[in-house]
């Protein structure tokens, strides 16, 4: 097919580039004898222990000297690259045939009847113990681990499937016949051999953070332009038109006093509007209320943070132009009665503008504060582990607003409504937080430094699935508030769940805080408190309950400041539209599963209530009729994790969802789970082919996945989005809407595929 031919061409190009890299690397590491040892071979591949690197080295070393010459290496690699799928399978068979004495007599593994050749480097068959050794190496290459009994079950499943003559071992014809049942494997083996044996791609070294690079801003502008569709484009156009109109009106009104002052006055009017808009875009409670109204379909509320950033850039540009124009006007106007530029800048005087003639001084202070806030809000600061810098610098907005009221005589007219709403939201939030005495009831430390908090739910706290809250824990940082998605369902009445991954300073402190409690107990000198102060308190004994390898359960006394916390919220997200969709596709990457954990639980709760049953025969069915609460007809949940440990975060929840699905609708497909593990190598990679085939065979036999224990098979690598969305479109279960929570890079990829299939796309933004 054309697709295969294109893939083959790409594979050939990759192989050629790879051979060039091999030749260059060989010359760099080979000694005077022009040969490399096993340790040098592994060092070039950037691995310390690798079963496959050692097996490849042994097979490439055709003379058995214990070292490789360039001719030996390139000769073997050329055979691999030019060989067909059968010849490559022969090499795979040798890799798996690890026993027997190696007999050197001019062996060529490309021979037709090679397993009977005198130079065959093994016994000519693969038994269960060899399979166990190979599968253990496959697991290590994919950064996975399984108990020995599961490893034995995998090797037995593969042996039983391939051992056609029941001899207790697998010959090459049997292996070839078994793999012919997986045509995609043979196709991948025929595409490229460059992926079989190569080092990891080194991280690009940068002289400065990526957020200061031209490529970064080009990507952001392109991403924003791709988001501009329909209502989004109308809102952007209206904002630009209003700003341009105000700037023009201000300039025309003062054109007789010179171009510099005309520009300054025009920019001033534009600043009045945009500085008020900055506050309006962060009215989180008001925006949450708007999401429950029909206006949610008219305005791109999910882009309010992106809009806030864009308006902030314009405010800084207008402020710079406004200041430069006033400085130019002050420098040019040096006639009779005019003051020197230095006196104009540093001394308040009547007639200079602003309250008490302080316009020049407040203007310079405003420009400095806006510039500092912009720099500290850059992604390399906010997402680079320095969120606290962004948080504290952004509190300067209070000073900015006060200075604006002193600087601009008409700003208060623009700021009256958004400023009043902002003040009201803050006062109500503060009063509500102080009225509720909230406690952290439990803390679980999960793998990959995730802290699962179980918090007492206030009686008046009502939220929708997918909402988030701002969390403050005085024992960690008294004045810091950080946003996290609620991972429990609204139908859970007594507690709230938060899953918090340690990525920045505050989240790392949180994890270490409870980790130290587990290790040292009440005698610990905790952050912000002296040892004497903590000893003077009455402690309740901290009890640990194992959760996996690292987890523990921390029960805290309700009278201790240790367990105290405050919540601000809840605040809505685009995920609220899930329940009004027909076919929803939920995609979470890493800890991006947290909003969907709440949503999935609520979906199954509502689905259970929608089920009907016959009182006579007890046959149950699901009503397909539309209702105001939920119009969903199909849900696909896709979770992409980095490694096996990440899967442990929500395994119990996913297992419960699978059980409910089987109970409510045996064999039904209302909710489908799709799990992907990016560290796991796929079937097209020789270092994982046997493992993935064995996992498939054992999953079909036991009806559960060996990695997670779920009925859903965990897939290696990343999803093929064209294939995934093609299957979704073919189901024809209604209009499809895709909801995503994860990295911006992956969001761009998914958005592009959604556009090609005509799916609506929504992304979580804090």
């Amino acid at each position: 097919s054309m697709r295969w031919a294109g893939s083959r061409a790409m594979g050939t190009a990759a192989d050629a580039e790879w051979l060039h890299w091999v030749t260059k690397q060989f010359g760099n590491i080979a000694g005077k004898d022009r040969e490399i040892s096993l340790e040098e071979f592994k060092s070039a591949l950037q691995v310390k222990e690798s079963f496959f690197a050692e097996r490849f080295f042994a097979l490439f070393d055709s003379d058995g000297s214990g070292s490789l010459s360039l001719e030996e290496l390139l000769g073997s690699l050329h055979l691999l690259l030019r060989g067909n799928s059968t010849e490559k399978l022969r090499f795979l068979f040798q890799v798996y045939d690890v026993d027997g004495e190696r007999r050197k007599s001019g062996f060529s593994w490309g021979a037709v009847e090679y397993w009977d050749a005198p130079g065959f480097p093994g016994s000519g068959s693969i038994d269960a113990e060899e399979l166990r050794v190979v599968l253990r190496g496959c697991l290590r290459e994919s950064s996975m681990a399984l108990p020995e009994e599961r490893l034995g079950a995998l090797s037995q499943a593969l042996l039983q499937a391939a051992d056609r003559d029941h001899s207790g071992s697998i010959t090459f014809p049997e292996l070839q016949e078994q793999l012919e049942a997986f045509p995609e494997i043979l196709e991948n083996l025929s595409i490229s051999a460059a992926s079989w044996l190569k080092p990891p791609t080194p991280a690009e070294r940068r002289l400065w953070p990526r957020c200061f690079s031209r490529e970064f801003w080009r990507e952001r502008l392109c991403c924003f332009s791709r988001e501009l569709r329909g209502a989004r484009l109308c809102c952007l156009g209206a904002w630009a038109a209003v700003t341009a109109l105000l700037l023009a009106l201000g300039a025309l009104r003062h054109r007789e006093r010179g171009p510099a002052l005309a520009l300054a006055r025009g920019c001033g009017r534009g600043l009045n509007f945009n500085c008020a808009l900055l506050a309006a875009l962060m009215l989180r409670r008001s925006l949450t209320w708007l999401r429950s109204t029909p206006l949610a379909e008219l305005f791109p509320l999910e882009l309010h943070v992106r809009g806030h950033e864009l308006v902030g850039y314009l405010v800084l540009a207008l402020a710079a132009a406004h200041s430069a124009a006033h400085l130019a006007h002050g420098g040019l106007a040096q006639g009779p009665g005019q003051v020197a530029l230095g006196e104009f800048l540093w001394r308040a005087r009547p007639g200079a503008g602003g309250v008490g003639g302080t316009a020049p001084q407040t203007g310079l202070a405003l420009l400095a504060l806006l510039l500092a806030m912009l720099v500290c809000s850059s992604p390399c600061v906010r997402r680079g582990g320095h969120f606290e810098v962004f948080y504290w610098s952004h509190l300067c907005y209070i000073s900015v607003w006060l200075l604006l009221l002193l600087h601009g005589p008409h700003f208060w007219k623009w700021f009256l409504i958004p400023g009043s709403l902002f003040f009201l939201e803050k006062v109500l939030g503060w009063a509500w937080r102080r009225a509720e005495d909230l406690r952290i009831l439990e803390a679980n430390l999960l793998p990959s430094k995730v802290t699962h908090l179980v918090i007492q739910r206030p009686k008046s706290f009502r939220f929708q699935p997918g909402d988030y809250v701002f969390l403050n824990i005085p024992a960690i940082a008294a004045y810091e508030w950080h946003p996290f998605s609620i991972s429990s369902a609204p139908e859970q009445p007594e507690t709230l769940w938060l899953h918090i991954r340690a990525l920045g300073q505050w989240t790392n402190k949180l994890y270490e805080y409870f980790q130290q409690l587990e290790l040292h107990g009440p005698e610990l000198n905790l952050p912000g408190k002296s040892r004497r102060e903590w000893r003077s308190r009455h402690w309740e004994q901290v009890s640990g309950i194992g959760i996996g390898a690292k987890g523990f359960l921390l029960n805290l006394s309700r009278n201790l400041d240790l367990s105290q916390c405050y919540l601000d919220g809840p605040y809505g997200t685009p995920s609220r539209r899930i329940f009004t969709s027909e076919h929803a596709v939920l995609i979470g990457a890493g800890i991006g599963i947290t909003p969907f954990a709440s949503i999935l639980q609520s979906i199954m709760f509502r689905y259970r209530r929608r089920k009907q049953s016959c009182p006579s025969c007890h046959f149950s069915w699901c009503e397909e009729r539309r209702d105001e609460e939920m119009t969903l007809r199909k849900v696909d949940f896709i979770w992409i994790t980095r490694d096996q440990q990440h899967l442990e975060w929500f395994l119990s929840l996913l297992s419960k969802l699978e059980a409910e699905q089987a109970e409510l609708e045996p064999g039904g497909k209302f909710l489908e789970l799709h799990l992907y593990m990016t560290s796991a190598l796929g079937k097209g990679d020789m270092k994982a082919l046997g493992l993935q085939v064995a996992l498939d065979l054992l999953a079909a036999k036991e009806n559960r996945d060996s990695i997670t224990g779920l009925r859903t098979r965990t897939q290696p690598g990343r999803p093929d989005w064209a294939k995934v969305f093609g299957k979704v479109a073919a189901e024809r279960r209604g209009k499809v809407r895709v909801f995503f929570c994860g990295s911006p890079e992956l969001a761009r990829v998914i958005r592009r595929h959604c556009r090609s299939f005509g799916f609506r796309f929504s992304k979580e933004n804090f």
Side-chain angles (χ1 to χ4, degrees):
S1 64
M2 294 182 62
R3 180 181 177 184
W4 184 90
S7 300
R8 176 63 180 170
M10 292 175 61
T12 303
D15 289 337
E17 183 180 353
W18 180 52
L19 282 176
H20 177 73
W21 172 84
V22 168
T23 304
K24 182 179 179 180
Q25 286 294 101
F26 189 94
N28 292 335
I29 63 176
K32 295 181 179 180
D33 57 355
R34 307 302 299 165
E35 293 189 347
I36 60 175
S37 64
L38 173 60
E39 292 303 318
E40 291 171 330
F41 184 70
K42 291 194 293 185
S43 176
L45 296 175
Q46 300 180 22
V47 295
K48 294 182 178 180
E49 293 185 10
S50 172
F51 166 82
F52 287 97
E54 294 171 1
R55 290 297 297 153
F56 290 167
F57 183 89
L59 294 173
F60 293 163
D61 182 18
S62 57
D63 60 3
S65 63
S67 60
L68 285 182
S69 65
L70 181 60
E71 291 74 18
E72 285 179 317
L73 181 60
L74 293 182
S76 299
L77 294 180
H78 274 293
L79 287 173
L80 277 175
L81 300 179
R82 296 172 182 172
N84 56 32
S85 60
T86 301
E87 291 170 329
K88 292 176 182 179
L89 281 178
R90 289 173 179 167
F91 182 77
L92 173 67
F93 186 88
Q94 292 183 73
V95 173
Y96 280 33
D97 187 14
V98 296
D99 65 353
E101 293 295 331
R102 180 162 187 173
R103 299 181 297 276
K104 298 294 181 181
S105 58
F107 166 71
S108 174
W109 59 266
V112 175
E113 297 294 330
Y114 76 97
W115 52 84
D116 293 327
F120 179 70
S123 62
S125 62
I126 306 171
D127 58 26
E129 186 57 33
E130 289 175 287
L131 285 177
R132 184 189 290 262
V133 172
V134 173
L135 293 180
R136 188 179 292 112
C138 291
L139 286 169
R140 190 177 298 113
E141 294 287 344
S142 292
S143 301
M144 294 193 302
L146 290 176
E148 283 297 318
E149 59 270 17
R150 298 308 300 165
L151 189 62
L154 287 171
S155 61
Q156 285 298 321
L158 190 56
L159 180 64
Q160 292 172 7
D163 184 15
R164 305 300 172 118
D165 59 2
H166 305 289
S167 63
S169 61
I170 304 172
T171 62
F172 175 74
E174 289 176 330
L175 177 66
Q176 186 176 23
E177 183 180 358
Q178 174 63 28
L179 293 184
E180 285 175 352
F182 302 90
E184 72 279 2
I185 294 179
L186 300 180
E187 179 178 332
N188 288 334
L189 287 175
S190 300
I191 291 175
S192 174
S195 63
W196 291 358
L197 191 67
K198 66 178 181 180
T201 303
E204 182 181 357
R205 297 185 64 183
R206 297 181 179 273
L207 298 178
W208 50 78
R210 184 173 180 269
C211 59
F212 295 134
S213 67
R214 181 183 304 173
E215 295 80 7
F216 173 82
W217 291 105
R218 184 184 296 117
E219 288 178 6
R220 287 182 70 86
L221 290 175
C222 292
C223 176
F224 188 76
S225 65
R226 286 193 294 265
E227 291 175 344
L228 298 179
R229 295 291 187 275
R232 301 177 180 184
L233 189 59
C234 292
C235 290
L236 181 66
W239 167 61
V242 172
T243 301
L245 178 62
L246 291 172
L247 196 152
L249 290 175
L252 288 174
R253 184 175 180 181
H254 297 86
R255 65 184 182 276
E256 296 179 354
R257 302 179 61 183
L261 186 62
L263 176 61
R265 296 300 189 188
C267 290
R269 286 202 174 188
L271 282 168
N272 284 335
F273 166 65
N274 283 280
C275 288
L277 185 59
L278 271 179
L281 287 171
M282 298 310 291
L283 296 173
R284 298 180 185 273
R285 295 183 187 276
S286 301
L287 293 174
T288 298
W289 173 79
L290 282 177
R291 293 182 191 279
S292 62
T293 69
L295 294 176
E297 296 295 333
L298 299 179
F299 296 101
L301 300 179
E302 68 275 10
L303 292 179
H304 75 99
V305 175
R306 182 68 60 83
H308 178 79
E309 295 175 357
L310 194 62
V311 174
Y313 297 141
L314 181 63
V315 164
L316 183 63
L318 289 175
H322 178 76
S323 301
H326 269 302
L327 289 174
H329 177 73
L332 292 174
Q334 292 296 330
Q338 299 295 327
V339 298
L341 183 60
E343 186 179 355
F344 171 77
L345 291 177
W346 304 115
R347 287 187 60 185
R349 62 186 181 84
V355 176
T358 59
Q361 294 76 40
T362 54
L364 290 177
L366 279 168
L367 186 61
L369 285 175
L370 290 172
L371 182 60
M373 292 174 69
L374 179 66
V375 171
C376 295
S377 301
S378 60
C380 54
V381 174
R382 191 174 69 253
R383 302 185 185 278
H386 304 286
F387 183 86
E388 288 75 10
V389 176
F390 158 75
Y391 178 84
W392 286 106
S393 65
H394 238 60
L395 289 181
C396 292
Y397 72 83
I398 300 174
S399 301
V400 168
W401 287 345
L402 291 175
L403 288 172
L404 281 170
L405 292 171
L406 295 174
H407 179 82
H410 301 290
F411 175 69
W412 69 271
K413 302 173 184 177
W414 296 88
F415 188 65
L416 182 61
I417 294 178
S420 299
L421 289 175
F422 194 90
F423 179 76
L424 181 62
E425 285 193 5
K426 290 297 182 181
V427 170
L428 290 177
W430 181 86
W432 180 85
R433 292 193 301 267
R434 297 299 166 177
E436 299 286 352
D437 186 21
L438 302 185
R439 302 289 172 179
I440 300 174
L441 303 180
E442 300 173 5
N444 302 324
L445 297 187
L446 304 180
S448 301
K449 299 189 73 173
V450 170
T451 307
H452 172 206
L453 298 181
V454 179
I455 301 174
Q456 173 189 356
R457 179 175 175 177
K459 296 179 180 179
S460 59
F461 191 90
R462 294 180 177 84
F463 68 99
Q464 297 295 320
D467 286 358
Y468 67 99
V469 294
F470 281 85
L471 173 67
N472 169 258
I473 302 179
I476 304 296
Y479 302 105
E480 293 187 22
W481 295 81
H482 297 265
F484 302 104
S485 296
I486 303 173
S487 52
S488 56
E491 292 79 11
Q492 186 173 319
E494 297 181 355
T495 58
L496 290 172
W497 290 0
L498 298 178
H499 285 76
I500 302 171
R501 188 178 181 189
L503 292 175
Q505 293 180 4
W506 190 91
T507 51
N508 272 294
K509 287 180 182 178
L510 177 72
Y511 185 87
E512 294 168 1
Y513 177 74
F514 289 110
Q515 187 180 50
Q516 292 300 313
L517 281 179
E518 177 195 20
L519 295 175
H520 301 287
E523 297 301 319
L524 176 67
N525 184 15
L526 294 166
K529 303 287 184 179
S530 67
R531 182 182 297 270
R532 180 178 301 175
E533 183 178 355
W534 280 110
R535 283 181 176 178
S536 66
R537 297 183 180 274
H538 173 71
W539 285 81
E540 184 176 291
Q541 182 180 3
V542 178
S543 60
I545 300 178
I547 306 291
K550 298 182 179 179
F552 79 102
L553 179 62
L554 181 65
N555 293 311
L556 303 171
S557 170
R558 303 176 73 86
N559 296 321
L560 296 178
D561 289 343
L562 171 66
S563 62
Q564 188 178 40
C565 68
Y566 299 102
L567 297 177
D568 180 20
Y571 298 112
T573 67
S575 299
R576 288 192 171 192
R577 301 178 185 174
I578 286 176
F579 296 94
T580 58
S581 306
E582 293 178 329
H583 189 166
V585 180
L586 317 181
I587 305 174
I591 201 63
I593 187 182
T594 48
F596 299 134
S598 172
I599 290 166
L600 290 172
Q601 294 176 79
S602 187
I603 284 175
M604 293 309 297
F605 180 86
R606 301 181 189 196
Y607 183 68
R608 189 185 306 113
R609 290 197 306 185
R610 204 168 68 178
K611 291 289 292 183
Q612 304 292 328
S613 60
C614 175
S616 300
C617 64
H618 301 290
F619 175 77
S620 62
W621 70 95
C622 178
E623 291 288 346
E624 291 288 345
R625 71 178 188 275
R626 292 179 177 269
D627 55 51
E628 295 182 357
E629 186 181 53
M630 187 173 73
T631 61
L632 282 169
R633 297 163 59 187
K634 177 69 189 297
V635 178
D636 283 281
F637 172 62
I638 302 171
W639 187 21
I640 308 165
T641 62
R642 181 180 301 171
D643 53 40
Q644 187 179 4
Q645 283 190 330
H646 291 187
L647 286 171
E648 298 177 17
W649 295 341
F650 290 95
L651 275 185
S652 59
L653 170 61
L654 297 180
S655 178
K656 178 182 177 182
L657 292 175
E658 278 192 336
E660 289 184 354
Q661 168 85 350
E663 177 186 352
L664 294 173
E665 189 182 4
K669 293 291 184 179
F670 170 73
L671 172 64
E672 280 195 70
L673 306 180
H674 312 267
L675 307 182
Y676 292 87
M677 188 164 59
T678 58
S679 70
L681 303 176
K683 296 176 183 175
D685 194 307
M686 185 177 292
K687 300 188 291 292
L689 187 152
L691 173 63
Q692 293 301 329
V693 171
L695 287 170
D696 282 344
L697 292 170
L698 194 58
K701 178 181 178 181
E702 298 180 346
N703 195 28
R704 69 185 181 100
D705 184 50
S706 295
I707 299 174
T708 63
L710 302 174
R711 294 181 177 89
T712 301
R713 169 78 165 89
T714 303
Q715 300 298 324
R718 292 173 171 80
D720 182 341
W721 295 111
K723 187 179 296 184
V724 170
F725 288 160
K727 179 179 178 294
V728 170
E731 292 179 351
R732 300 183 180 276
R733 300 296 295 273
K735 294 182 180 180
V736 178
R737 188 158 194 158
V738 177
F739 299 85
F740 173 76
C741 186
S743 68
E745 294 79 9
L746 183 56
R748 287 193 286 270
V749 174
I750 297 175
R751 181 185 288 107
R752 184 173 65 250
H753 283 87
C754 288
R755 190 175 299 120
S756 64
F757 280 90
F759 300 162
R760 299 195 66 179
F761 176 80
S762 297
K763 178 183 180 296
E764 295 288 342
N765 288 289
F766 288 156

